[in-house]
Amino acid sequence: MKNILVFRTAADEIMQKLFLELKGQNREVFCYIQSGCIEKYQKKYHEVIFVDSGNSDFQNKSLGMQQLEGMFFEEVYVPSSSPYFRDHESVFFFIDKLSYKNKILYDCYGNKQYYCTKSRPLKKLQYIEAVCLFKFFMYMYNAKNILRGE
């Protein structure tokens, strides 16, 4: 059975559409939800396991990970009420701390954008590569100024 994590970052209509898509497939669906919405959603979606975020919104930088620690998710869904994912940065930073295989951005039209996770060593390697390239171009720029006589 696959573990799926859904963030409640969209309007109720979008969430309903997403839950209908995920329903009935061999999946255990978890929903990371704001404190004030849990009761309403539990009455509506009995098959979903709701995890309280402890906050009224996801813009707070102190999102709690205690309930999700040690869990692996096959897919992590981030729904949006618009075709764009503005103001979702704190959710993306939170997701980066989780253990998952695919991150899926789900927009208001039902379109999905899939992103595979990168391993920690690959992230470190890309960081080192970016720093080296930055320093290389910085030295080349300085060399150009020296050759010009500046």
Side-chain angles (χ1 to χ4, degrees):
M1 181 175 277
K2 295 180 181 180
N3 284 342
I4 307 296
L5 178 63
V6 177
F7 282 83
R8 193 209 169 264
T9 52
D12 292 342
E13 297 83 24
I14 309 301
M15 296 301 293
Q16 181 178 6
K17 188 162 95 172
L18 178 58
F19 285 142
L20 285 174
E21 283 186 32
L22 297 175
K23 186 178 181 180
Q25 301 171 2
N26 192 18
R27 301 173 176 188
E28 191 163 22
V29 179
F30 294 85
C31 182
Y32 198 70
I33 190 168
Q34 296 89 346
S35 300
C37 302
I38 288 181
E39 289 181 32
K40 179 174 82 170
Y41 272 74
Q42 282 178 335
K43 290 177 185 175
K44 207 174 203 181
Y45 309 104
H46 302 289
E47 65 281 351
V48 178
I49 301 167
F50 293 97
V51 179
D52 188 358
S53 70
N55 295 317
S56 60
D57 61 4
F58 290 134
Q59 299 306 319
N60 191 345
K61 294 185 180 186
S62 62
L63 291 173
M65 281 191 58
Q66 300 84 354
Q67 302 95 332
L68 302 175
E69 280 184 318
M71 295 184 72
F72 175 78
F73 297 100
E74 194 73 29
E75 297 172 342
V76 175
Y77 283 86
V78 181
S80 176
S81 296
S82 72
Y84 311 106
F85 291 84
R86 294 188 180 117
D87 300 326
H88 284 72
E89 293 84 11
S90 59
V91 174
F92 295 141
F93 286 127
F94 181 78
I95 290 172
D96 200 34
K97 298 175 189 173
L98 297 174
S99 178
Y100 67 95
K101 185 175 181 183
N102 293 312
K103 176 173 59 178
I104 302 168
L105 303 182
Y106 186 87
D107 69 11
C108 60
Y109 302 115
N111 299 323
K112 298 177 186 176
Q113 299 173 22
Y114 291 84
Y115 298 94
C116 293
T117 185
K118 297 176 185 174
S119 65
R120 298 240 185 252
L122 182 59
K123 286 181 184 179
K124 287 181 182 178
L125 183 63
Q126 287 179 333
Y127 174 76
I128 292 169
E129 178 185 359
V131 168
C132 290
L133 283 172
F134 175 76
K135 287 186 178 187
F136 172 74
F137 285 113
M138 183 181 70
Y139 290 133
M140 295 302 290
Y141 183 77
N142 288 340
K144 176 191 76 150
N145 288 339
I146 290 171
L147 290 174
R148 285 186 177 172
E150 296 177 2

